[in-house]
Short mmCIF file of all heavy atoms in Angstrom, two decimals:
data_model
loop_
_atom_site.label_atom_id
_atom_site.label_comp_id
_atom_site.label_asym_id
_atom_site.label_seq_id
_atom_site.Cartn_x
_atom_site.Cartn_y
_atom_site.Cartn_z
N LYS J 101 0.83 -1.21 0.00
CA LYS J 101 0.00 0.00 0.00
C LYS J 101 0.85 1.25 0.00
O LYS J 101 0.61 2.21 -0.73
CB LYS J 101 -0.94 -0.02 1.21
CG LYS J 101 -2.06 -1.05 1.12
CD LYS J 101 -2.98 -0.95 2.32
CE LYS J 101 -4.11 -1.98 2.21
NZ LYS J 101 -5.04 -1.92 3.39
N ARG J 102 1.88 1.26 0.85
CA ARG J 102 2.75 2.44 0.94
C ARG J 102 3.58 2.64 -0.33
O ARG J 102 3.83 3.77 -0.75
CB ARG J 102 3.65 2.33 2.16
CG ARG J 102 2.87 2.39 3.47
CD ARG J 102 3.81 2.45 4.66
NE ARG J 102 3.08 2.54 5.93
CZ ARG J 102 3.66 2.70 7.11
NH1 ARG J 102 4.99 2.76 7.18
NH2 ARG J 102 2.92 2.78 8.20
N ILE J 103 3.99 1.52 -0.91
CA ILE J 103 4.74 1.63 -2.17
C ILE J 103 3.84 2.24 -3.25
O ILE J 103 4.26 3.11 -4.01
CB ILE J 103 5.25 0.24 -2.60
CG1 ILE J 103 6.35 -0.24 -1.66
CG2 ILE J 103 5.78 0.28 -4.05
CD1 ILE J 103 6.78 -1.67 -1.90
N LEU J 104 2.60 1.79 -3.33
CA LEU J 104 1.68 2.33 -4.33
C LEU J 104 1.39 3.80 -4.08
O LEU J 104 1.29 4.59 -5.04
CB LEU J 104 0.38 1.51 -4.32
CG LEU J 104 0.47 0.09 -4.88
CD1 LEU J 104 -0.83 -0.65 -4.67
CD2 LEU J 104 0.82 0.12 -6.37
N VAL J 105 1.26 4.19 -2.81
CA VAL J 105 1.05 5.61 -2.50
C VAL J 105 2.26 6.43 -2.91
O VAL J 105 2.13 7.51 -3.53
CB VAL J 105 0.76 5.79 -0.99
CG1 VAL J 105 0.81 7.27 -0.61
CG2 VAL J 105 -0.59 5.19 -0.64
N PHE J 106 3.46 5.95 -2.57
CA PHE J 106 4.69 6.65 -2.95
C PHE J 106 4.81 6.80 -4.45
O PHE J 106 5.07 7.90 -4.96
CB PHE J 106 5.89 5.89 -2.37
CG PHE J 106 7.22 6.39 -2.86
CD1 PHE J 106 7.70 7.62 -2.48
CD2 PHE J 106 7.99 5.60 -3.73
CE1 PHE J 106 8.93 8.07 -2.95
CE2 PHE J 106 9.21 6.04 -4.20
CZ PHE J 106 9.69 7.29 -3.80
N VAL J 107 4.62 5.72 -5.18
CA VAL J 107 4.72 5.77 -6.64
C VAL J 107 3.62 6.66 -7.22
O VAL J 107 3.86 7.45 -8.14
CB VAL J 107 4.65 4.34 -7.22
CG1 VAL J 107 4.56 4.40 -8.75
CG2 VAL J 107 5.86 3.53 -6.79
N GLY J 108 2.40 6.53 -6.68
CA GLY J 108 1.31 7.35 -7.17
C GLY J 108 1.57 8.84 -7.00
O GLY J 108 1.27 9.64 -7.89
N LEU J 109 2.16 9.23 -5.86
CA LEU J 109 2.49 10.64 -5.65
C LEU J 109 3.54 11.12 -6.65
O LEU J 109 3.46 12.26 -7.15
CB LEU J 109 2.99 10.83 -4.21
CG LEU J 109 1.94 10.69 -3.11
CD1 LEU J 109 2.59 10.78 -1.74
CD2 LEU J 109 0.85 11.75 -3.25
N ASN J 110 4.51 10.26 -6.95
CA ASN J 110 5.52 10.64 -7.94
C ASN J 110 4.91 10.82 -9.32
O ASN J 110 5.21 11.79 -10.03
CB ASN J 110 6.61 9.56 -8.00
CG ASN J 110 7.65 9.72 -6.91
OD1 ASN J 110 8.63 10.44 -7.08
ND2 ASN J 110 7.44 9.06 -5.79
N ILE J 111 4.03 9.90 -9.71
CA ILE J 111 3.39 10.00 -11.02
C ILE J 111 2.48 11.23 -11.09
O ILE J 111 2.45 11.95 -12.10
CB ILE J 111 2.60 8.71 -11.33
CG1 ILE J 111 3.55 7.53 -11.48
CG2 ILE J 111 1.75 8.87 -12.58
CD1 ILE J 111 2.85 6.19 -11.64
N LEU J 112 1.75 11.49 -9.99
CA LEU J 112 0.88 12.67 -9.94
C LEU J 112 1.70 13.95 -10.08
O LEU J 112 1.33 14.87 -10.85
CB LEU J 112 0.10 12.67 -8.63
CG LEU J 112 -0.83 13.87 -8.39
CD1 LEU J 112 -1.92 13.92 -9.45
CD2 LEU J 112 -1.43 13.81 -7.00
N ALA J 113 2.81 14.02 -9.36
CA ALA J 113 3.66 15.22 -9.44
C ALA J 113 4.23 15.40 -10.84
O ALA J 113 4.24 16.51 -11.39
CB ALA J 113 4.79 15.12 -8.41
N MET J 114 4.68 14.29 -11.44
CA MET J 114 5.19 14.36 -12.81
C MET J 114 4.10 14.82 -13.78
O MET J 114 4.34 15.61 -14.70
CB MET J 114 5.74 13.00 -13.23
CG MET J 114 7.07 12.61 -12.60
SD MET J 114 8.45 13.42 -13.44
CE MET J 114 9.84 12.70 -12.54
N GLY J 115 2.89 14.30 -13.59
CA GLY J 115 1.79 14.69 -14.46
C GLY J 115 1.46 16.16 -14.36
O GLY J 115 1.19 16.83 -15.37
N ILE J 116 1.47 16.70 -13.14
CA ILE J 116 1.20 18.13 -12.95
C ILE J 116 2.28 18.97 -13.61
O ILE J 116 1.99 19.96 -14.31
CB ILE J 116 1.10 18.45 -11.45
CG1 ILE J 116 -0.15 17.78 -10.85
CG2 ILE J 116 1.06 19.96 -11.21
CD1 ILE J 116 -0.24 17.89 -9.35
N LEU J 117 3.54 18.60 -13.43
CA LEU J 117 4.64 19.35 -14.05
C LEU J 117 4.58 19.26 -15.57
O LEU J 117 4.87 20.23 -16.27
CB LEU J 117 5.98 18.82 -13.54
CG LEU J 117 6.31 19.12 -12.07
CD1 LEU J 117 7.54 18.35 -11.63
CD2 LEU J 117 6.51 20.61 -11.88
N ASP J 118 4.21 18.07 -16.08
CA ASP J 118 4.10 17.91 -17.54
C ASP J 118 3.00 18.80 -18.11
O ASP J 118 3.13 19.34 -19.21
CB ASP J 118 3.81 16.45 -17.86
CG ASP J 118 3.77 16.19 -19.36
OD1 ASP J 118 4.85 15.95 -19.93
OD2 ASP J 118 2.68 16.25 -19.96
N SER J 119 1.90 18.99 -17.35
CA SER J 119 0.77 19.77 -17.84
C SER J 119 0.99 21.27 -17.69
O SER J 119 0.60 22.05 -18.56
CB SER J 119 -0.52 19.38 -17.09
OG SER J 119 -0.86 18.05 -17.37
N PHE J 120 1.63 21.71 -16.60
CA PHE J 120 1.67 23.12 -16.28
C PHE J 120 3.04 23.76 -16.52
O PHE J 120 3.23 24.93 -16.23
CB PHE J 120 1.27 23.35 -14.82
CG PHE J 120 -0.18 23.09 -14.56
CD1 PHE J 120 -0.62 21.82 -14.21
CD2 PHE J 120 -1.13 24.09 -14.70
CE1 PHE J 120 -1.96 21.57 -13.99
CE2 PHE J 120 -2.46 23.85 -14.49
CZ PHE J 120 -2.90 22.58 -14.13
N THR J 121 4.00 23.00 -17.02
CA THR J 121 5.31 23.56 -17.36
C THR J 121 5.69 23.12 -18.77
O THR J 121 4.97 22.36 -19.41
CB THR J 121 6.40 23.09 -16.37
OG1 THR J 121 6.65 21.68 -16.57
CG2 THR J 121 5.97 23.33 -14.93
N VAL J 122 6.84 23.60 -19.23
CA VAL J 122 7.30 23.23 -20.58
C VAL J 122 7.96 21.86 -20.62
O VAL J 122 8.32 21.38 -21.68
CB VAL J 122 8.29 24.28 -21.10
CG1 VAL J 122 7.65 25.64 -21.22
CG2 VAL J 122 9.53 24.37 -20.20
N ALA J 123 8.11 21.22 -19.46
CA ALA J 123 8.78 19.93 -19.40
C ALA J 123 7.91 18.84 -20.02
O ALA J 123 6.70 18.84 -19.87
CB ALA J 123 9.14 19.57 -17.97
N VAL J 124 8.55 17.89 -20.71
CA VAL J 124 7.88 16.71 -21.28
C VAL J 124 8.38 15.51 -20.48
O VAL J 124 9.54 15.13 -20.57
CB VAL J 124 8.20 16.55 -22.77
CG1 VAL J 124 7.47 15.32 -23.32
CG2 VAL J 124 7.78 17.79 -23.55
N LEU J 125 7.49 14.89 -19.70
CA LEU J 125 7.92 13.93 -18.69
C LEU J 125 7.29 12.55 -18.87
O LEU J 125 7.28 11.76 -17.93
CB LEU J 125 7.58 14.46 -17.29
CG LEU J 125 8.23 15.80 -16.93
CD1 LEU J 125 7.69 16.30 -15.60
CD2 LEU J 125 9.75 15.68 -16.87
N TRP J 126 6.79 12.24 -20.07
CA TRP J 126 6.18 10.93 -20.27
C TRP J 126 7.20 9.81 -20.13
O TRP J 126 6.90 8.73 -19.63
CB TRP J 126 5.49 10.87 -21.63
CG TRP J 126 4.19 11.60 -21.65
CD1 TRP J 126 3.89 12.75 -22.31
CD2 TRP J 126 3.00 11.24 -20.93
NE1 TRP J 126 2.60 13.13 -22.07
CE2 TRP J 126 2.02 12.22 -21.21
CE3 TRP J 126 2.66 10.21 -20.07
CZ2 TRP J 126 0.74 12.18 -20.69
CZ3 TRP J 126 1.39 10.17 -19.54
CH2 TRP J 126 0.44 11.14 -19.84
N GLU J 127 8.39 10.04 -20.59
CA GLU J 127 9.43 9.01 -20.48
C GLU J 127 9.78 8.75 -19.02
O GLU J 127 9.95 7.60 -18.60
CB GLU J 127 10.67 9.44 -21.26
CG GLU J 127 11.74 8.38 -21.31
CD GLU J 127 12.88 8.73 -22.25
OE1 GLU J 127 12.74 9.72 -23.00
OE2 GLU J 127 13.89 8.01 -22.23
N GLU J 128 9.86 9.83 -18.23
CA GLU J 128 10.15 9.67 -16.81
C GLU J 128 9.02 8.90 -16.11
O GLU J 128 9.27 8.05 -15.24
CB GLU J 128 10.34 11.04 -16.15
CG GLU J 128 11.67 11.71 -16.44
CD GLU J 128 11.74 12.28 -17.85
OE1 GLU J 128 10.69 12.34 -18.52
OE2 GLU J 128 12.85 12.68 -18.28
N VAL J 129 7.77 9.20 -16.47
CA VAL J 129 6.64 8.49 -15.88
C VAL J 129 6.71 7.00 -16.22
O VAL J 129 6.44 6.12 -15.38
CB VAL J 129 5.31 9.10 -16.37
CG1 VAL J 129 4.12 8.21 -15.98
CG2 VAL J 129 5.12 10.49 -15.80
N ALA J 130 7.07 6.69 -17.47
CA ALA J 130 7.17 5.28 -17.87
C ALA J 130 8.22 4.55 -17.04
O ALA J 130 8.01 3.40 -16.62
CB ALA J 130 7.51 5.20 -19.36
N TRP J 131 9.36 5.20 -16.78
CA TRP J 131 10.40 4.57 -15.97
C TRP J 131 9.94 4.38 -14.51
O TRP J 131 10.28 3.39 -13.86
CB TRP J 131 11.69 5.39 -16.01
CG TRP J 131 12.51 5.13 -17.21
CD1 TRP J 131 12.74 5.95 -18.27
CD2 TRP J 131 13.24 3.92 -17.50
NE1 TRP J 131 13.55 5.34 -19.20
CE2 TRP J 131 13.88 4.10 -18.75
CE3 TRP J 131 13.42 2.72 -16.83
CZ2 TRP J 131 14.67 3.12 -19.32
CZ3 TRP J 131 14.22 1.73 -17.41
CH2 TRP J 131 14.83 1.95 -18.64
N ILE J 132 9.17 5.34 -13.99
CA ILE J 132 8.65 5.19 -12.63
C ILE J 132 7.70 4.01 -12.54
O ILE J 132 7.73 3.23 -11.58
CB ILE J 132 7.95 6.50 -12.20
CG1 ILE J 132 8.99 7.62 -12.01
CG2 ILE J 132 7.17 6.29 -10.90
CD1 ILE J 132 8.39 8.97 -11.69
N VAL J 133 6.83 3.85 -13.55
CA VAL J 133 5.91 2.71 -13.57
C VAL J 133 6.69 1.40 -13.64
O VAL J 133 6.37 0.42 -12.96
CB VAL J 133 4.93 2.83 -14.75
CG1 VAL J 133 4.11 1.57 -14.91
CG2 VAL J 133 4.02 4.04 -14.57
N PHE J 134 7.74 1.38 -14.46
CA PHE J 134 8.59 0.18 -14.57
C PHE J 134 9.22 -0.15 -13.22
O PHE J 134 9.24 -1.31 -12.78
CB PHE J 134 9.66 0.41 -15.63
CG PHE J 134 10.66 -0.71 -15.74
CD1 PHE J 134 10.37 -1.84 -16.48
CD2 PHE J 134 11.89 -0.63 -15.10
CE1 PHE J 134 11.29 -2.87 -16.58
CE2 PHE J 134 12.82 -1.66 -15.18
CZ PHE J 134 12.50 -2.78 -15.94
N ALA J 135 9.75 0.87 -12.54
CA ALA J 135 10.37 0.65 -11.23
C ALA J 135 9.35 0.15 -10.21
O ALA J 135 9.65 -0.72 -9.39
CB ALA J 135 11.03 1.94 -10.74
N ALA J 136 8.13 0.69 -10.28
CA ALA J 136 7.09 0.26 -9.35
C ALA J 136 6.74 -1.21 -9.56
O ALA J 136 6.57 -1.97 -8.59
CB ALA J 136 5.84 1.12 -9.53
N MET J 137 6.65 -1.63 -10.82
CA MET J 137 6.36 -3.04 -11.10
C MET J 137 7.47 -3.94 -10.55
O MET J 137 7.21 -4.97 -9.92
CB MET J 137 6.21 -3.23 -12.61
CG MET J 137 4.97 -2.59 -13.20
SD MET J 137 5.03 -2.52 -15.00
CE MET J 137 5.41 -4.21 -15.42
N GLY J 138 8.71 -3.56 -10.79
CA GLY J 138 9.83 -4.35 -10.28
C GLY J 138 9.85 -4.40 -8.76
O GLY J 138 10.12 -5.45 -8.16
N TRP J 139 9.54 -3.27 -8.14
CA TRP J 139 9.52 -3.20 -6.67
C TRP J 139 8.46 -4.14 -6.10
O TRP J 139 8.69 -4.89 -5.15
CB TRP J 139 9.25 -1.76 -6.26
CG TRP J 139 9.58 -1.45 -4.83
CD1 TRP J 139 9.92 -2.32 -3.85
CD2 TRP J 139 9.62 -0.15 -4.23
NE1 TRP J 139 10.16 -1.66 -2.68
CE2 TRP J 139 9.99 -0.32 -2.88
CE3 TRP J 139 9.38 1.13 -4.70
CZ2 TRP J 139 10.10 0.75 -2.01
CZ3 TRP J 139 9.50 2.20 -3.83
CH2 TRP J 139 9.87 2.01 -2.51
N LEU J 140 7.26 -4.12 -6.68
CA LEU J 140 6.17 -4.97 -6.19
C LEU J 140 6.47 -6.45 -6.41
O LEU J 140 6.11 -7.29 -5.57
CB LEU J 140 4.86 -4.57 -6.87
CG LEU J 140 4.29 -3.19 -6.48
CD1 LEU J 140 3.11 -2.84 -7.37
CD2 LEU J 140 3.90 -3.17 -5.01
N VAL J 141 7.11 -6.78 -7.49
CA VAL J 141 7.51 -8.17 -7.73
C VAL J 141 8.49 -8.63 -6.65
O VAL J 141 8.36 -9.73 -6.09
CB VAL J 141 8.13 -8.33 -9.14
CG1 VAL J 141 8.80 -9.69 -9.28
CG2 VAL J 141 7.05 -8.18 -10.21
N CYS J 142 9.48 -7.79 -6.36
CA CYS J 142 10.45 -8.14 -5.31
C CYS J 142 9.77 -8.27 -3.95
O CYS J 142 10.10 -9.17 -3.16
CB CYS J 142 11.55 -7.08 -5.24
SG CYS J 142 12.63 -7.04 -6.69
N LEU J 143 8.80 -7.39 -3.65
CA LEU J 143 8.09 -7.47 -2.39
C LEU J 143 7.30 -8.78 -2.29
O LEU J 143 7.26 -9.44 -1.24
CB LEU J 143 7.14 -6.29 -2.25
CG LEU J 143 6.29 -6.25 -0.97
CD1 LEU J 143 7.18 -6.15 0.27
CD2 LEU J 143 5.29 -5.10 -1.02
N HIS J 144 6.68 -9.18 -3.40
CA HIS J 144 5.93 -10.45 -3.42
C HIS J 144 6.86 -11.64 -3.15
O HIS J 144 6.52 -12.54 -2.36
CB HIS J 144 5.24 -10.61 -4.77
CG HIS J 144 4.55 -11.94 -4.93
ND1 HIS J 144 3.35 -12.24 -4.32
CD2 HIS J 144 4.91 -13.05 -5.63
CE1 HIS J 144 3.00 -13.47 -4.63
NE2 HIS J 144 3.92 -13.98 -5.43
N LEU J 145 8.03 -11.63 -3.77
CA LEU J 145 8.99 -12.71 -3.55
C LEU J 145 9.50 -12.72 -2.12
O LEU J 145 9.73 -13.78 -1.53
CB LEU J 145 10.15 -12.58 -4.54
CG LEU J 145 9.80 -12.81 -6.02
CD1 LEU J 145 11.00 -12.53 -6.90
CD2 LEU J 145 9.31 -14.24 -6.24
N ARG J 146 9.70 -11.53 -1.54
CA ARG J 146 10.16 -11.45 -0.16
C ARG J 146 9.11 -12.04 0.79
O ARG J 146 9.44 -12.77 1.74
CB ARG J 146 10.43 -9.98 0.21
CG ARG J 146 10.83 -9.77 1.66
CD ARG J 146 12.07 -10.55 2.04
NE ARG J 146 12.50 -10.24 3.39
CZ ARG J 146 13.42 -10.93 4.06
NH1 ARG J 146 14.01 -11.97 3.49
NH2 ARG J 146 13.76 -10.59 5.27
#
């Protein structure tokens, strides 16, 4: 739950910056999602 909250806050912040600034952050969001998937897999194995 906490991992999902942490990742969700990062994605939300990236989305706000992508919308309200000149930054293009879709690639960064994709890497965050990838890291979240890997993290949850490791947690399941643990």
